[in-house]
Amino acid sequence: MPLRAKVVKPARKRRKAKWVGKGHWLRRRLRLQRAKKLKKLVNKKRRRIRHRDERQDTPVPVSIAGYQPPEGAQLEEQDTILHKLYRSMLLDGEGFVRELHRQVLHRDASDQEAAELTQQLSSGTDKVHIAELVMLSEEAQRLYEQPFLSAGRSNRDTIGAIINQAYASSHLFFVHFLYYELLSRLPEESELRGHMEHLVRGVPRSHLIRAFLLSEECRGLLSSHEPPRRPVKYLRNPSDPSTGEVSIGIFMGFPHVTPLDGEGIGRFSIRLIDGMLSTWDRLKVYITTTETNYDEYHKIFARQLEQYAGRLVLMKSDSMETINRTVPVHVWLVPYVGLELAVYLQRPYVLCLHDLVYLHFKELYFRKSPEFCDWMERVVYRMAERAAAVVFNSDYIKRKEGMEYLGLQEPKTQVIRLASPQDEYNFMGLVPEAEFRIKYGLADEYIVFPSVIRFHKNHSRLIESFIAYKKIKPSRLQLVITDQLTPDGLNSDLYGELGRYPAELLASVRFIGRLPSGELPALYKYAKGTIVPTLFEGSCPFPILESLTMGTPVAAGRLEVTQEVIRDMEAFITFNPYSVSEMVAAIAQLDQPQAALAVRQQAAIQETLQRTWSHVAGEYTQLLEHVGKAN
């Protein structure tokens, strides 16, 4: 290959740099930055348009109120007793002993206790048996049985406090509690029966705790190399959202026999279900209850079950595991704060908190019903804490119970006011007057207070006022009360007080018992007037709305919660519910022939009377839809 001569190019002359001012470079830099920013914005817009087009090409199923967490999403519960024990057992000997004392007994172990138990561990005793010794000691037992106010509230997340919260609950709840807290699951029907039989026969609850703690299943979970799985809170939507059908559950898992006919919770549930199903064709409602109450509730909801066949279903089970697995709902409604089994529902629930009356009369209720108040204190925090939303019937109760007492945050609360029973009463029709009066022995004129006997309902002062009025103006007027008077239970004080009145005057006070819902319109319609002396209500007293729906005038105590709904109280006969003299004057006004009084009162709350249960149901359905989507 011939060699080529290397060509040497002449060197290029370097151009002399032209001097430019500083401002020129700044302007150039700004232009470049603006161009770069503009390019980014253009590219971002192009990507957004491309993604929008892709979404439009893919059809998305529409769900009205479906509970639709992301694929595979599972929201987990807080640590159970099992998890706290597992973490404690990861500590060395003395550290484990001291942590166990802090968790169970709310104190540190003494040096002697720590030394003795550490020595047992060194001698081969396993940690589960040490946990048994501490958790079932006499000191621990006393803590479990203490009132929640002194034992549970200050250390709510410890093992001792968790057991304390459940120790006063029903047998059915306690068995669920042990499965959930010590085995990280819920019991099947077959597993429930044996434990329930033991508790009914009087086996101490501490024996059941020991049996669960020392069980092979619990030991296996505690000795696992990985932490025990936490119970799943929310499961995926059980139905196909593309159908557009919305399924709502109404949880009525009362563990004991609990009559609903004539009770506020029963009337509330019936009216709400009617409002929901009569307005929304795509809605399906599942009522779940326990074996104990199934037959009674089937009678109460008989009309609705027939009218909405296929869209209203009544189911029964004592096992929350069975309910979670077989009831295909998106979201639950819990109509009473005492339905504590609801904390084991595996789909979100909305809690109706009508009121916590014992908080407003602590001295009276804690003295008269300490067991009930203690149990409610243990339940209400847990129920409200685990609820996805809490509904109140008035701003007053939302502020007092929800915000001040329970410490709920505003976004979790909702006020949904009740409505008049106009549609329901129109559907029921009226029992003929003669038939109604003969059945209840009401041949003479009467005024009525339709309420069960409770401390805050003020029956004692009402009867005293009525007897005083009868002494001033003898007549055949009767006072009708819709409850039975018995010498025991909640009625014992009232029963004893009535002995001081002359028999001939007391005969005009009639206790006719709780009426079936279908007879309530007649009770109001044929009365001369309705008197509502209650000292407290969670919303505008319902007898006011019921009575005026039937065109019967009302006399009512002056309450803050009533004035939220009735802005113009001048049309009403009002009185101080603590004043006998004012109540006597109110009875005298009701006893006067005032044909136009009911008309004036109806006009004063016309807007409230026009609100129907379809409106109430619409607001509940909207909230349930929101909760279902959010979770």
Side-chain angles (χ1 to χ4, degrees):
M1 182 176 182
L3 297 176
R4 291 184 179 180
K6 184 176 181 180
V7 179
V8 179
K9 295 182 179 180
R12 295 178 60 185
K13 291 183 179 180
R14 296 185 64 182
R15 295 173 59 186
K16 187 176 180 180
K18 183 179 179 181
W19 174 257
V20 292
K22 186 176 181 181
H24 172 80
W25 288 106
L26 286 175
R27 286 193 296 273
R28 185 181 179 191
R29 178 179 293 180
L30 288 174
R31 282 197 302 271
L32 291 172
Q33 287 177 348
R34 282 196 295 268
K36 190 175 181 180
K37 187 175 182 180
L38 181 61
K39 186 177 181 180
K40 284 184 177 180
L41 289 173
V42 170
N43 290 336
K44 185 176 181 181
K45 186 174 181 180
R46 286 173 178 170
R47 287 195 301 270
R48 190 181 300 153
I49 293 171
R50 185 169 65 251
H51 292 163
R52 183 194 63 193
D53 294 340
E54 289 173 356
R55 287 197 303 269
Q56 289 175 348
D57 293 339
T58 306
V60 179
V62 178
S63 174
I64 296 177
Y67 165 53
Q68 282 286 95
E71 187 69 33
Q74 294 179 335
L75 304 183
E76 295 180 338
E77 287 285 82
Q78 296 177 349
D79 284 348
T80 61
I81 293 175
L82 183 70
H83 298 96
K84 295 179 184 298
L85 286 174
Y86 182 88
R87 282 200 302 271
S88 299
M89 291 180 180
L90 296 177
L91 301 173
D92 60 13
E94 184 175 346
F96 164 68
V97 170
R98 293 192 180 278
E99 174 62 13
L100 193 62
H101 275 71
R102 188 189 69 79
Q103 280 284 342
V104 177
L105 304 179
H106 297 170
R107 65 173 179 83
D108 194 11
S110 67
D111 292 340
Q112 181 180 352
E113 290 170 329
E116 289 178 356
L117 293 177
T118 304
Q119 178 60 37
Q120 290 189 39
L121 288 170
S122 301
S123 302
T125 303
D126 66 7
K127 290 182 177 179
V128 175
H129 278 291
I130 300 299
E132 176 201 359
L133 290 175
V134 177
M135 290 176 64
L136 298 176
S137 64
E138 291 184 3
E139 182 180 353
Q141 186 71 23
R142 288 194 299 271
L143 185 141
Y144 302 155
E145 295 173 352
Q146 283 181 12
F148 177 65
L149 285 171
S150 58
R153 188 180 296 178
S154 59
N155 298 283
R156 288 173 58 193
D157 294 329
T158 64
I159 292 174
I162 293 172
I163 297 177
N164 170 267
Q165 290 178 50
Y167 223 66
S169 297
S170 66
H171 292 334
L172 185 59
F173 180 86
F174 190 70
V175 174
H176 277 84
F177 167 82
L178 291 179
Y179 270 93
Y180 187 86
E181 293 290 336
L182 289 174
L183 302 182
S184 238
R185 65 181 180 88
L186 294 172
E188 298 285 355
E189 295 273 4
S190 57
E191 295 174 312
L192 270 176
R193 295 190 189 98
H195 298 304
M196 290 289 292
E197 288 174 2
H198 284 105
L199 290 173
V200 170
R201 288 203 305 265
V203 173
R205 293 190 169 190
S206 58
H207 290 197
L208 223 59
I209 295 176
R210 177 181 288 109
F212 273 78
L213 182 62
L214 300 181
S215 68
E216 184 178 343
E217 184 176 356
C218 184
R219 282 177 170 276
L221 292 169
L222 289 173
S223 61
S224 172
H225 293 296
E226 296 182 357
R229 63 177 179 83
R230 289 180 174 85
V232 176
K233 174 66 174 175
Y234 298 152
L235 299 180
R236 280 196 54 76
N237 189 342
S239 61
D240 181 5
S242 63
T243 63
E245 183 181 86
V246 182
S247 297
I248 292 174
I250 297 183
F251 184 74
M252 292 189 171
F254 291 98
H256 308 297
V257 176
T258 307
L260 290 182
D261 200 15
E263 284 283 358
I265 299 299
R267 294 200 300 272
F268 167 80
S269 302
I270 289 171
R271 289 163 180 169
L272 187 62
I273 289 170
D274 269 327
M276 285 179 168
L277 293 176
S278 63
T279 309
W280 285 272
D281 294 334
R282 292 176 295 176
L283 187 66
K284 190 169 184 177
V285 176
Y286 292 83
I287 305 173
T288 60
T289 185
T290 51
E291 300 272 355
T292 303
N293 290 297
Y294 178 79
D295 291 339
E296 178 66 23
Y297 292 2
H298 197 280
K299 295 177 184 176
I300 292 172
F301 293 103
R303 177 182 65 80
Q304 287 78 13
L305 289 168
E306 181 179 357
Q307 182 178 354
Y308 304 109
R311 296 179 56 217
L312 179 63
V313 181
L314 179 63
M315 304 179 72
K316 62 178 178 178
S317 178
D318 288 343
S319 166
M320 295 303 296
E321 174 65 25
T322 301
I323 289 174
N324 286 323
R325 189 175 62 248
T326 61
V327 184
V329 300
H330 304 84
V331 63
W332 288 93
L333 182 69
V334 181
Y336 172 55
V337 72
L339 289 162
E340 57 182 335
L341 280 168
V343 299
Y344 297 127
L345 291 170
Q346 289 182 330
R347 293 185 184 91
Y349 68 82
V350 172
L351 174 65
C352 302
L353 205 164
H354 302 284
D355 60 67
L356 300 174
V357 62
Y358 66 91
L359 295 179
H360 301 264
F361 302 92
K362 281 189 174 181
E363 183 179 349
L364 178 62
Y365 270 90
F366 276 89
R367 177 168 53 87
K368 297 289 186 180
S369 299
E371 296 85 5
F372 169 80
C373 295
D374 179 42
W375 168 73
M376 187 59 76
E377 286 282 299
R378 299 170 195 247
V379 169
V380 65
Y381 278 98
R382 184 169 60 238
M383 288 289 290
E385 184 177 51
R386 299 199 183 190
V390 183
V391 176
F392 306 90
N393 300 139
S394 66
D395 290 318
Y396 176 77
I397 296 300
K398 173 185 171 180
R399 184 177 73 253
K400 291 292 185 181
E401 269 84 329
M403 314 292 279
E404 296 178 9
Y405 181 69
L406 294 174
L408 299 178
Q409 298 299 311
E410 179 75 27
K412 191 173 181 175
T413 63
Q414 181 84 17
V415 173
I416 299 180
R417 301 190 188 280
L418 304 180
S420 72
Q422 183 71 55
D423 295 339
E424 178 189 355
Y425 283 8
N426 288 340
F427 180 85
M428 288 179 179
L430 270 178
V431 178
E433 184 171 2
E435 178 184 333
F436 179 80
R437 288 184 177 275
I438 290 172
K439 179 177 180 179
Y440 292 102
L442 300 175
D444 299 313
E445 291 183 326
Y446 65 89
I447 61 174
V448 62
F449 179 34
S451 170
V452 295
I453 297 173
R454 297 287 186 269
F455 299 133
H456 66 283
K457 294 294 186 178
N458 210 15
H459 285 85
S460 176
R461 200 172 276 113
L462 171 62
I463 293 172
E464 180 183 355
S465 303
F466 183 75
I467 296 293
Y469 174 70
K470 294 277 286 188
K471 289 179 179 178
I472 297 171
K473 185 181 178 182
S475 69
R476 298 179 64 86
L477 183 69
Q478 294 182 322
L479 171 64
V480 173
I481 295 170
T482 56
D483 203 351
Q484 293 290 357
L485 185 65
T486 57
D488 53 6
L490 296 176
N491 302 346
S492 57
D493 285 355
L494 181 61
Y495 186 89
E497 290 175 7
L498 297 186
R500 58 181 173 154
Y501 299 120
E504 62 275 13
L505 290 176
L506 196 58
S508 61
V509 179
R510 301 291 312 283
F511 295 88
I512 64 173
R514 303 184 186 188
L515 273 65
S517 300
E519 294 181 348
L520 281 175
L523 175 71
Y524 287 110
K525 183 67 176 178
Y526 307 136
K528 195 168 187 180
T530 300
I531 187 163
V532 187
T534 179
L535 302 174
F536 168 85
E537 290 294 338
S539 63
C540 178
F542 214 68
I544 295 177
L545 303 182
E546 292 176 322
S547 184
L548 290 176
T549 296
M550 299 309 299
T552 300
V554 179
R558 292 186 290 273
L559 300 177
E560 178 181 339
V561 72
T562 304
Q563 296 177 39
E564 284 186 26
V565 174
I566 304 175
R567 306 293 183 183
D568 179 16
M569 295 294 291
E570 292 185 3
F572 285 79
I573 302 171
T574 63
F575 53 87
N576 178 354
Y578 291 92
S579 170
V580 171
S581 60
E582 289 194 29
M583 210 179 300
V584 169
I587 294 171
Q589 285 184 266
L590 275 184
D591 195 24
Q592 299 301 316
Q594 300 186 49
L597 179 58
V599 177
R600 291 202 308 272
Q601 292 180 348
Q602 287 173 328
I605 60 168
Q606 183 178 8
E607 183 178 342
T608 302
L609 291 178
Q610 288 176 346
R611 177 175 168 83
T612 68
W613 278 87
S614 293
H615 296 124
V616 178
E619 293 174 25
Y620 268 101
T621 304
Q622 185 178 10
L623 175 61
L624 290 163
E625 175 185 351
H626 174 74
V627 168
K629 287 181 177 179
N631 291 283

